[in-house]
Amino acid sequence: MFALPRLSLAPLLLGVLLFNTSVASFNSCTHDETFIPDAVLRVSVETISQSCMPPKDVLLINGTSPGPELRLTEGRTYWIRVYNDLPNDNTTIHWHGLTMAVSPFSDGTPQASQWPIPPLHFFDYEINIPVGMAGTYCKSCTSILIFYHSHVGFQAVSATGPLIVDDSGPVPYKYDEEKIIFLQDAFSSDDTTIEKGLTAKPFVWSGESAVILVNGKGGGTADTTVCNASLSVINVDPKKTYRFRIIGGTALSFVSFAIEGHNNLTIIEADGSYTQPYNTSYLQVGTGQRFSFLLHAQAAPPKKTFMMQFEARSRPTVTRGFAVLNYGSDLAHAPYPPATPPMTLPETTVGFLDYVLRPLIQDEPFPTAAQVTRRVTVRVHQEVSGGRTIWVENNFPWTEDTPREPYLVSLYKNDGIEFPSMQRALTNGGLDPVTVAFPAEIGEVLEIVIQNTGSEAGGVDAHPFHAHGKHYWDIGSGPGTYNAAENEKRLIGTSPVKRDTTMLYVYDTSASNNTDAGWRAWRLKVVEPGVWMIHCHILQHMIMGMQTVWVFGNETDLIRGVPIPEVEGYLVYGGSVMGNETHWPQVVEFQTDWEDDQ
């Protein structure tokens, strides 16, 4: 299960989509035996041992965890077929970092945009990547870093893998080769046990991460427990320059990372946006975050192997893991964790990279405070309700059992969940309490403030917040209560980068119940209609309710000219859009020209 293979994509038979700039054009068809998907992912479960832990059921993609590397190219539309080979459980795949506005039922979010894939069915995901899509990719950049994962329950702890998007522009940074560092957590309990505990009355915690896995392997320590398992090895050659792509695929751990003897790491990408070079001796990677950095291999290294050290420091206990940077040929024997950590990593830096990263190219102007049309504050809070420990946002949780069907499906069907009311939202801090959704109009410039608070028990947690859809400009973070005027002063002379996952930090380890305890702020132009989730990317917190649903655009914007009869198969669980061994899927090939629209 430890291999990290690359899945080559077959040529797309359907070609690049033709576009219409006013409304969506579309083609209804059956993906029968003549249809060849560009890639196939199969989600299955096997009883295996991860690192030092006893055997348990683990979800795999194409037989491995992490799953195979996918490489896509800008300016093309891809179809990726996902088989749910699980005998009893639903699944989805979310394309973390890609906006799926072109294909509204392909975002992989069962609580928001689509029904999950039933057991023993398959679904064809349509992924369109316009050239130079404003807000996500710069027009002269290449090879940005995404990843994919399930968006059901705790499945993403292992059902996940890397995804890289290339474009046709010149390479902005020169390097000889690429390497991937894919970070994951492993827990002693299986997914089902963890999910049941998190939703139980009373609450049963999952436990802390037992191991930090690097490309599927790992060893080290968790508190006082030692895991003496073999480590992943990344081979390099002297004098070469390498682009390392590090992916925060962890469920829980906020990981600090450094490489023994290599103190000059040059960050060149954050969450799929190229940055101006920024030198650092270490990185901090939250779950859902991605970075690329350049490493210049030593010309005459004093030894063959160097430890790569990874530490989850934001939890009550420290989990420490390792991998090996190896110069030259493969090692004769598998390496194991050192008896003593070779490095002392710095304490967690609150505000890491805030206000200092700059975009490599400013593809569209950063909206000023004067251009902001509305500020929405999302207050996150942990409380006990009806014996169950939950996370709420503006007094409401959003869990997998909150909507009886995906929100976008309900809007199409008009069968009980009304369209969110902007009037109600404006009188309730941005949230419509009837639909428990945050509406926004196309053309708005939102300032979204995520406000941390002390829990009922007086604790404070860190939260990596992720936004689906269009990327936002990250405008920083700080302790206490957000102060717009003071933060605007800090933005003078800066040029924020676009991100999709940034940290809500712990500034104080305790705070009185419901008092402000730190914030994170974004600016976002509302240009892509859709039903989008904004949520903490810690899987435990998501299961416990730390998710919000945002509806961008009105009914006309969302439907975009595709009548209900054409999408009927998307509106029913297990509908005709899902294939199985008895029938082929009947799909809609959506087509929208976002490049011309913007």
Side-chain angles (χ1 to χ4, degrees):
M1 65 169 289
F2 300 126
L4 192 64
R6 176 176 295 181
L7 191 61
S8 59
L9 301 183
L12 181 68
L13 299 183
L14 300 178
V16 178
L17 290 178
L18 301 176
F19 295 117
N20 180 291
T21 59
S22 56
V23 296
S25 58
F26 59 91
N27 177 46
S28 298
C29 64
T30 299
H31 282 182
D32 58 18
E33 66 275 3
T34 65
F35 174 79
I36 302 176
D38 296 282
V40 173
L41 301 177
R42 304 196 76 114
V43 181
S44 63
V45 61
E46 293 184 24
T47 302
I48 59 174
S49 296
Q50 289 181 296
S51 194
C52 298
M53 290 176 292
K56 64 174 183 176
D57 286 349
V58 176
L59 264 64
L60 307 176
I61 296 184
N62 292 11
T64 68
S65 178
E69 175 190 317
L70 296 177
R71 291 194 82 106
L72 312 181
T73 302
E74 265 192 343
R76 294 185 57 187
T77 297
Y78 293 88
W79 286 90
I80 299 179
R81 177 164 291 177
V82 176
Y83 284 88
N84 181 5
D85 293 334
L86 304 176
N88 301 306
D89 296 311
N90 295 325
T91 196
T92 66
I93 292 292
H94 167 58
W95 316 97
H96 183 112
L98 284 179
T99 173
M100 300 305 294
V102 172
S103 307
F105 296 103
S106 286
D107 192 46
T109 49
Q111 304 99 313
S113 65
Q114 71 171 107
W115 286 109
I117 308 170
L120 307 180
H121 285 66
F122 65 87
F123 180 76
D124 290 344
Y125 283 91
E126 181 186 37
I127 299 178
N128 175 265
I129 309 173
V131 174
M133 184 171 63
T136 307
Y137 317 109
C138 77
K139 295 183 179 180
S140 64
C141 298
T142 185
S143 294
I144 63 168
L145 184 57
I146 318 293
F147 76 113
Y148 61 87
H149 59 81
S150 171
H151 220 288
V152 172
F154 208 68
Q155 293 181 2
V157 70
S158 60
T160 182
L163 189 159
I164 296 169
V165 175
D166 297 319
D167 79 10
S168 57
V171 178
Y173 291 101
K174 301 298 182 183
Y175 49 88
D176 297 295
E177 295 181 34
E178 298 179 3
K179 304 290 181 179
I180 286 180
I181 300 173
F182 200 103
L183 302 178
Q184 294 170 276
D185 288 325
F187 296 84
S188 57
S189 297
D190 61 34
D191 298 359
T192 300
T193 301
I194 289 174
E195 287 183 46
K196 287 182 178 178
L198 295 172
T199 58
K201 304 176 184 178
F203 158 83
V204 179
W205 176 234
S206 64
E208 301 299 315
S209 173
V211 185
I212 295 174
L213 301 176
V214 181
N215 295 348
K217 301 179 73 174
T221 58
D223 198 10
T224 59
T225 302
V226 177
C227 173
N228 193 33
S230 62
L231 306 177
S232 288
V233 178
I234 297 177
N235 294 321
V236 297
D237 292 323
K239 299 183 181 180
K240 285 188 176 181
T241 297
Y242 292 86
R243 177 180 184 164
F244 277 74
R245 304 176 184 271
I246 186 167
I247 301 171
T250 53
L252 175 66
S253 295
F254 179 25
V255 176
S256 293
F257 157 70
I259 304 176
E260 179 189 11
H262 297 72
N263 296 323
N264 190 12
L265 312 178
T266 303
I267 294 174
I268 61 170
E269 177 199 359
D271 292 351
S273 294
Y274 270 96
T275 68
Q276 295 180 24
Y278 183 83
N279 293 329
T280 180
S281 61
Y282 71 102
L283 270 76
Q284 294 180 173
V285 186
T287 172
Q289 293 186 315
R290 292 94 60 217
F291 294 97
S292 286
F293 64 87
L294 298 181
L295 180 142
H296 304 286
Q298 299 175 12
K303 57 182 182 176
K304 182 177 173 64
T305 62
F306 297 84
M307 282 294 161
M308 308 170 76
Q309 189 167 318
F310 304 85
E311 295 181 357
R313 290 182 156 271
S314 64
R315 303 299 307 166
T317 59
V318 174
T319 301
R320 181 178 292 114
F322 299 93
V324 171
L325 185 74
N326 176 60
Y327 276 80
S329 58
D330 290 342
L331 294 173
H333 303 284
Y336 288 85
T340 303
M343 294 173 283
T344 300
L345 300 187
E347 294 296 327
T348 300
T349 302
V350 294
F352 181 67
L353 301 180
D354 288 353
Y355 308 101
V356 296
L357 283 187
R358 302 284 187 273
L360 182 63
I361 292 177
Q362 190 77 44
D363 57 357
E364 61 176 319
F366 165 62
T368 65
Q371 293 174 303
V372 172
T373 57
R374 186 160 56 101
R375 180 179 299 119
V376 179
T377 299
V378 181
R379 293 181 60 84
V380 299
H381 182 60
Q382 188 188 83
E383 61 185 43
V384 178
S385 177
R388 180 176 171 182
T389 301
I390 60 173
W391 288 97
V392 297
E393 296 74 48
N394 293 8
N395 299 317
F396 288 92
W398 190 281
T399 62
E400 289 190 6
D401 57 5
T402 294
R404 59 185 179 84
E405 61 187 2
Y407 202 94
L408 180 60
V409 168
S410 293
L411 295 182
Y412 260 95
K413 292 166 66 175
N414 191 27
D415 66 348
I417 294 183
E418 61 179 287
F419 204 84
S421 163
M422 181 63 75
Q423 182 178 1
R424 288 194 298 259
L426 291 175
T427 60
N428 195 56
L431 171 71
D432 174 9
V434 174
T435 61
V436 197
F438 292 81
E441 298 175 350
I442 301 298
E444 282 196 274
V445 178
L446 297 181
E447 188 163 283
I448 299 174
V449 179
I450 304 171
Q451 182 68 59
N452 215 351
T453 65
S455 70
E456 283 189 1
V460 182
D461 275 353
H463 306 288
F465 261 83
H466 170 55
H468 294 215
K470 184 178 172 65
H471 288 197
Y472 52 78
W473 284 274
D474 187 273
I475 60 172
S477 65
T481 305
Y482 179 66
N483 184 311
E486 289 301 314
N487 195 54
E488 196 64 23
K489 294 177 184 177
R490 297 193 67 182
L491 291 173
I492 295 174
T494 71
S495 183
V497 296
K498 289 178 179 175
R499 302 289 300 271
D500 61 51
T501 311
T502 45
M503 292 297 303
L504 185 59
Y505 289 102
V506 173
Y507 287 88
D508 295 299
T509 56
S510 62
S512 299
N513 181 33
N514 216 20
T515 60
D516 290 352
W519 54 269
R520 166 66 63 182
W522 308 335
R523 283 186 192 154
L524 173 69
K525 286 185 178 179
V526 181
V527 297
E528 295 180 345
V531 177
W532 308 115
M533 299 195 76
I534 294 178
H535 60 87
C536 174
H537 212 274
I538 291 175
L539 300 186
Q540 289 90 333
H541 294 176
M542 292 169 63
I543 290 170
M544 296 166 66
M546 192 177 273
Q547 308 184 95
T548 60
V549 169
W550 297 65
V551 179
F552 287 1
N554 56 31
E555 293 95 328
T556 302
D557 297 324
L558 282 173
I559 303 304
R560 295 187 69 80
V562 183
I564 284 181
E566 301 295 338
V567 297
E568 207 160 320
Y570 293 89
L571 305 183
V572 180
Y573 173 72
S576 60
V577 72
M578 302 286 179
N580 63 23
E581 62 180 10
T582 66
H583 66 269
W584 298 106
Q586 299 173 19
V587 307
V588 174
E589 296 168 350
F590 291 90
Q591 304 174 32
T592 305
D593 188 354
W594 281 104
E595 185 176 10
D596 289 349
D597 283 351
Q598 298 181 53

